[in-house]
Amino acid sequence: MKNQITRRDYLRIMGISGLGIGAGSIIGDQLLAQDIGESGFQSSVIAANKVQDSRYNAVLIEGEVIQPRRKLPVLTETDVLVVGGGPAGIVAAIAARRAGARVTIVERYGHFGGLWTGGLVLLILGHIAKGPKQVCQGIGEEMMRRLEKMDGAIINRGPGSNPTVDAEAVKYLMVEMIEEADVEVFLHCWGVDAVRQDNSLRGVVFESKSGRQAILAKTVVDATGDGDIFAAAGAQFEHRSHNVGLVSRIGNLDRVDKTKTSDAEKPKRLGSATPVSGVNWVNLTGPEVDGLDLATLTRMELNHRKYIWGKMQKIRNIPGYENVYLVETAPQLGVRITRILNGLKTVTVDDIRKATRHPDAIGVGGASHAEHGEWQIPYGALVPQTADNVLAAGRCISCDLRMADLVRLIPNCFVTGHAAGVAAAVAVRDRCTPREADITEIQKILRQQNAYLG
Ligand SMILES: Cc1cc2nc3c(=O)[nH]c(=O)nc-3n(C[C@H](O)[C@H](O)[C@H](O)COP(=O)(O)OP(=O)(O)OC[C@H]3O[C@@H](n4cnc5c(N)ncnc54)[C@H](O)[C@@H]3O)c2cc1C
């Protein structure tokens, strides 16, 4: 336990030792503010007064905003760059690293998990196929087993059952697994442009509090969910609308007094159980809109928040339900589908109907109930037709309109993330593009990493 920080160390590091803090006290700003006012903090000058920042140089010329050409600092260089730290991105980064590549992952928010955590999508659907058989294996399944051990998930392994997770446990576990794998991480970093050389993606431009910087990479995995990076790289895609909702969690359900409520009064939809007792997660479908349009996204946030709050007040007015309250609305809006890659291959509904066998299969997709047979996912669905050195993973891979609602389920995003990570590492190792990468080698490594390919 050499590296473990004791409470005493913590207080010393934070500069608050010797304050006589009693056992069980809250450590942090709240305590400092209460007990010692604002006097315990420390601040130093990083750059001298009158600093001017020359990184920003957009100008207004004759009514047009012009961004002049400028040289960007390179933040880092890596083998595999994964953009987006959701279910697909995290699994891709771990897979690529385990396959021997140097990996950097970049995420626009301050935590990992994407819609799974920030969107509070706590229910895992889509890991099973007819049988019922669990088709999502590999790193995604490893994550689920670890969550179960941490008491961070309700996992009923009975036929057709779907696990529910605790978002905080997922966020913690993802940090643990990314650190174990020794992946370089940049949070609070938004991918905004592609660094292109002819038809090839050579890196990505990011915007953060440190300004606009580039990361150079041999191969890039676009796990942004919205295909932000493959679009910037010049890949072709389909721009789709879908339902945009907002998930919430409600609490104190274990304090409902149903003896006070008549059957007619009982609220119909109160969501589903989570690993936290008395707390449910509540899904919201929302209207079909364009999830890439800024004005629409803003309107959805405002409207959904008003709707959820109003609904909660109605529930609290029901006798016996007075203590129920809104724990939180998801910090991340529930955007389901936006850009879908035009891949070398496309996952289609016919693949399920005909149980198509793909020679380049990189995994098997499942459904929420075991009514569907196994459907193999071809590697070509991750590879753009028109851009090189970039792979898609997660909800933006190439699929027809009717398949999107299966492709986007979390376990299926684990599966395509896993494949994209391994394929990126193979392309780097063999000094080729993902399009040219040896599919038998990708399949071999995926199997070694416990993936199920059908
Ligand atoms: C309301 C709702 C309910 C759902 N219900 C279920 C369900 O019950 N069960 C189920 O299995 N699935 C469900 N889904 C689907 C599932 O949550 C998503 O499809 C899945 O999380 C997609 O994973 P992903 O990794 O592809 O993308 P995301 O989860 O969207 O993750 C993408 C990550 O990339 C980051 N990112 C995006 N753009 C950039 C950028 N430019 N630069 C840097 N980082 C970026 C994001 O912050 C995010 O962390 C639901 C989805 C929604 C919206």
Side-chain angles (χ1 to χ4, degrees), residues 84 87-88 107-108 114-115 121 123 125 191 228 336 394-395 408 410:
E107 162 58 44
R108 68 177 157 170
L115 285 167
V121 175
L123 180 66
L125 301 171
D228 288 4
R336 290 175 170 88
R395 61 184 167 89
R408 70 186 176 85
I410 290 165

Side-chain angles (χ1 to χ4, degrees), residues 193-433:
D193 205 348
V195 181
R196 287 159 74 172
Q197 197 171 40
D198 304 323
N199 210 27
S200 266
L201 187 60
R202 295 287 174 207
V204 176
V205 176
F206 294 92
E207 200 67 69
S208 74
K209 289 283 184 185
S210 297
R212 188 170 268 240
Q213 293 166 303
I215 296 179
L216 299 179
K218 292 178 183 145
T219 304
V220 178
V221 175
D222 184 342
T224 62
D226 294 319
D228 288 4
I229 306 305
F230 65 62
Q236 289 176 348
F237 57 88
E238 196 163 279
H239 181 169
R240 295 182 189 165
S241 58
H242 205 298
N243 300 85
V244 171
L246 185 67
V247 179
S248 55
R249 291 198 307 154
I250 57 176
N252 268 350
L253 290 163
D254 44 358
R255 292 180 61 195
V256 168
D257 182 355
K258 288 188 182 155
T259 60
K260 289 187 180 169
T261 329
S262 70
D263 279 348
E265 283 173 318
K266 275 185 190 140
K268 285 192 188 65
R269 286 202 196 106
L270 282 180
S272 337
T274 68
V276 182
S277 120
V279 174
N280 274 11
W281 81 281
V282 186
N283 201 348
L284 175 65
T285 306
E288 184 197 329
V289 291
D290 178 1
L292 293 179
D293 181 67
L294 178 60
T296 305
L297 293 173
T298 306
R299 186 162 43 87
M300 289 297 104
E301 286 278 5
L302 303 182
N303 288 354
H304 287 339
R305 275 169 212 291
K306 284 191 288 185
Y307 169 78
I308 292 168
W309 184 259
K311 192 179 152 199
M312 186 52 29
Q313 301 322 304
K314 280 188 195 148
I315 291 170
R316 285 163 61 91
N317 284 334
I318 300 171
Y321 286 77
E322 300 84 353
N323 291 317
V324 176
Y325 76 109
L326 183 60
V327 178
E328 61 175 337
T329 48
Q332 198 169 328
L333 192 65
V335 175
R336 290 175 170 88
I337 290 287
T338 54
R339 295 188 192 92
I340 294 288
L341 181 74
N342 276 5
L344 294 179
K345 288 195 178 170
T346 296
V347 181
T348 67
V349 167
D350 267 1
D351 288 335
I352 293 192
R353 291 209 190 104
K354 296 180 185 156
T356 313
R357 305 285 301 169
H358 296 283
D360 62 341
I362 43 78
V364 172
S368 45
H369 305 288
E371 79 274 33
H372 291 302
E374 297 187 14
W375 47 281
Q376 282 187 321
I377 304 172
Y379 177 55
L382 279 50
V383 184
Q385 286 176 12
T386 51
D388 268 334
N389 278 350
V390 57
L391 285 159
R395 61 184 167 89
C396 53
I397 68 159
S398 187
C399 63
D400 72 17
L401 204 53
R402 287 169 302 165
M403 273 309 281
D405 284 327
L406 282 185
V407 160
R408 70 186 176 85
L409 295 175
I410 290 165
N412 299 331
C413 295
F414 290 153
V415 168
T416 55
H418 197 162
V422 168
V426 168
V428 168
R429 188 198 65 186
D430 295 348
R431 296 169 190 272
C432 63
T433 64

